[in-house]
Amino acid sequence: MSVEGAPEWPGATWIGILDIAELAADPEPGSGDSSGDDPTMTEAVCVAPASDGFGRARILIRDGLAPVHFVEAPLDDGRVRLPLPSRSAPGPDAPADIPLPPMSVVLCTRERPDHLRGALASLLLVDHPDFEIIVVDNAPTTDATELVVAEVSDDRVRRIVEPVAGLSSARNAGLRAARHEFVAYTDDDVVADPGWLRGLALGFSRSDDVVCVCGTVPSGELRTLPQAYFDWRVSWADNLEPRVYSMATPPEDVPLFPFQVGVYGTGANFAIRRDAAIALGAFDERLGAGTRTRGGEDLDMFFRVLVGGHSLATEPSSIIWHRHRSDNDALLSQARGYGVGLGAWLTKVAVTREHRRLAFSVLRRRRRAVARAGAAYGAIAAPPPEFLSSVPPSVGRVEVFSVLAGPSALWREGRRRRARARRVPASTHRAGQHS
């Protein structure tokens, strides 16, 4: 993966991808050598280009589009020695065997032209037979986004403007503008894997009632300690097994289901059926970056999909690489935003009678499992010592205590939206907005 600067700490980790099939065909010496007496393993010495200054490598091993596992190993003079599993035959649900419906890709952005340029470049390389890219220019103050889109000479890309600031407003604008039934969302600080949309299509094929698919979001850059801390903190790429979640079959290993929404994925990589999203009320415009609540709109949508009686699939073969915040100020701001957004969403759950009753029911039925999960979290909550010298120790506390600001933020944002609705003529009100 490309990086945006030089490594800034001795443990900086180079990120790469390796396909087992390509490795088997590689005639370079050292590739495919036998590793010990285990017939299921091979060992490879791989070149890591542009890895000067990095001490370690993290490589995603894939079999076609299917991720096998992540491997971490030391880098030595731009080379890394990896133990690799032998290639297995593709299963009957391999992405090549499924229908590939047309998709609308919605990329929401606000005054970040450099990020947008890189994200668009990767999206144009996505391997899918029929897709459009809708760039939602959210509450623009300059023509920077317009100029970036104008640079792209591709009929698949178009720009629309959403004048009301807020990620949910932008997501809803993209939903209304989408020409296709399947709408995929991503951000402007990402690199899309070429198989991204094929993976999402595979997720939708896993069950007839799947209306939302969440893909994998691995770290695309680990050159600074703040990035490494965020990588340790989130779980966007921990699970490489596909799953389908529904209220009809609550998973035993998710004690707070369906409220434990962080296990499904994140707003940087998911897709939803357009008709289902509209029927659910679209995205709650009180939530999301650019509003007082600063986040929570993706959690809210995943939760409403499930309690609405639909299924949600997690699909590891759908990959979006994410560039985390690279400095402490941005890391603290992001932690604060996550906390406020979570608090706002929990407030929304608490004030909705049926959701509140469901929460009490889950706590009563799974009290012991919840207690065990809490104890386990407490045992691993302290960050690794290497972060303590450079990453502010207050990051975790900021996120936790920011949850307390969620109720007020939700109320104030709702009041602001209602005041704006009164000022806007009734003929311009848009369907699918929450108040």
Side-chain angles (χ1 to χ4, degrees), residues 391-410:
V391 176
S394 61
V395 171
R397 293 194 301 273
V398 164
E399 183 172 355
V400 171
F401 285 111
S402 293
V403 172
L404 301 177
S408 172
L410 183 69

Side-chain angles (χ1 to χ4, degrees), residues 175 181-183 204 209-212 271-283 301 304-305 308 310-311:
L175 190 69
E181 171 61 14
F182 295 91
V183 184
F204 281 111
D209 61 350
V210 169
V211 305
C212 183
I272 193 164
R273 287 182 179 268
R274 185 176 185 273
D275 289 348
I278 292 173
L280 289 168
F283 294 89
M301 179 56 80
R304 286 191 285 131
V305 163
H310 306 291
S311 290

Side-chain angles (χ1 to χ4, degrees), residues 168 171-172 175 211-212 247 258-259 261 264 270 272 276-287 296-312 345 348-349 352 354-355 358 432-434:
S168 284
R171 291 199 194 277
N172 284 340
L175 190 69
V211 305
C212 183
M247 296 295 292
F259 299 95
V261 287
Y264 314 134
F270 75 101
I272 193 164
I278 292 173
L280 289 168
F283 294 89
D284 188 338
E285 296 189 357
R286 297 172 299 174
L287 301 173
E297 86 296 334
D298 49 353
L299 309 180
D300 179 62
M301 179 56 80
F302 301 157
F303 174 75
R304 286 191 285 131
V305 163
L306 290 166
V307 298
H310 306 291
S311 290
L312 180 150
W345 173 69
K348 181 180 175 182
V349 169
T352 306
E354 60 268 29
H355 296 167
L358 177 60
Q433 293 188 5
H434 293 251

Side-chain angles (χ1 to χ4, degrees), residues 67 93 202-203 206 239-245 313-317:
D93 61 354
L202 177 59
R206 293 195 180 276
N239 186 10
L240 296 183
E241 292 294 326
R243 297 187 67 170
V244 176
Y245 296 92
T314 57
E315 185 51 58
S317 64

Side-chain angles (χ1 to χ4, degrees), residues 122-425:
S122 69
L123 287 171
L124 291 171
L125 297 177
V126 167
D127 179 19
H128 192 80
D130 187 0
F131 70 99
E132 62 171 350
I133 301 172
I134 304 167
V135 177
V136 183
D137 195 354
N138 188 208
T141 57
T142 72
D143 62 354
T145 297
E146 182 179 7
L147 293 175
V148 170
V149 175
E151 295 171 4
V152 180
S153 56
D154 194 307
D155 292 340
R156 293 173 297 177
V157 182
R158 58 193 168 103
R159 166 183 167 267
I160 64 172
V161 174
E162 169 50 54
V164 179
L167 185 52
S168 284
S169 296
R171 291 199 194 277
N172 284 340
L175 190 69
R176 291 189 299 272
R179 294 170 178 155
H180 303 307
E181 171 61 14
F182 295 91
V183 184
Y185 287 93
T186 191
D187 296 336
D188 60 9
D189 53 354
V190 306
V191 174
D193 185 83
W196 174 47
L197 294 181
R198 289 178 177 264
L200 291 176
L202 177 59
F204 281 111
S205 75
R206 293 195 180 276
S207 176
D208 291 340
D209 61 350
V210 169
V211 305
C212 183
V213 177
C214 295
T216 303
V217 185
S219 300
E221 184 177 273
L222 292 174
R223 64 179 180 84
T224 73
L225 270 169
Q227 289 176 329
Y229 175 90
F230 191 85
D231 175 76
W232 166 82
R233 172 68 182 81
V234 301
S235 57
W236 296 346
D238 285 356
N239 186 10
L240 296 183
E241 292 294 326
R243 297 187 67 170
V244 176
Y245 296 92
S246 75
M247 296 295 292
T249 56
E252 288 297 323
D253 59 339
V254 185
L256 287 176
F257 180 85
F259 299 95
Q260 209 166 332
V261 287
V263 303
Y264 314 134
T266 182
N269 182 6
F270 75 101
I272 193 164
R273 287 182 179 268
R274 185 176 185 273
D275 289 348
I278 292 173
L280 289 168
F283 294 89
D284 188 338
E285 296 189 357
R286 297 172 299 174
L287 301 173
T291 71
R292 287 176 171 83
T293 58
R294 306 186 61 171
E297 86 296 334
D298 49 353
L299 309 180
D300 179 62
M301 179 56 80
F302 301 157
F303 174 75
R304 286 191 285 131
V305 163
L306 290 166
V307 298
H310 306 291
S311 290
L312 180 150
T314 57
E315 185 51 58
S317 64
S318 172
I319 299 175
I320 287 285
W321 299 89
H322 187 265
R323 283 195 171 95
H324 307 319
R325 305 298 188 267
S326 60
D327 61 78
N328 286 329
D329 288 344
L331 179 64
L332 281 166
S333 177
Q334 191 170 39
R336 187 173 294 108
Y338 283 172
V340 176
L342 176 60
W345 173 69
L346 290 173
T347 302
K348 181 180 175 182
V349 169
V351 300
T352 306
R353 178 179 298 178
E354 60 268 29
H355 296 167
R356 185 171 63 245
R357 291 176 63 183
L358 177 60
F360 285 134
S361 174
V362 169
L363 290 172
R364 283 195 302 269
R365 285 188 292 106
R366 313 198 69 180
R367 189 180 307 157
R368 293 182 181 179
V370 171
R372 287 196 299 270
Y377 177 80
I380 62 172
E386 61 188 310
F387 296 142
L388 300 179
S389 61
S390 298
V391 176
S394 61
V395 171
R397 293 194 301 273
V398 164
E399 183 172 355
V400 171
F401 285 111
S402 293
V403 172
L404 301 177
S408 172
L410 183 69
W411 179 80
R412 288 186 294 123
E413 187 62 33
R415 185 178 64 175
R416 185 176 77 163
R417 298 273 162 171
R418 288 190 294 271
R420 180 183 179 279
R422 287 193 294 268
R423 294 194 301 269
V424 176

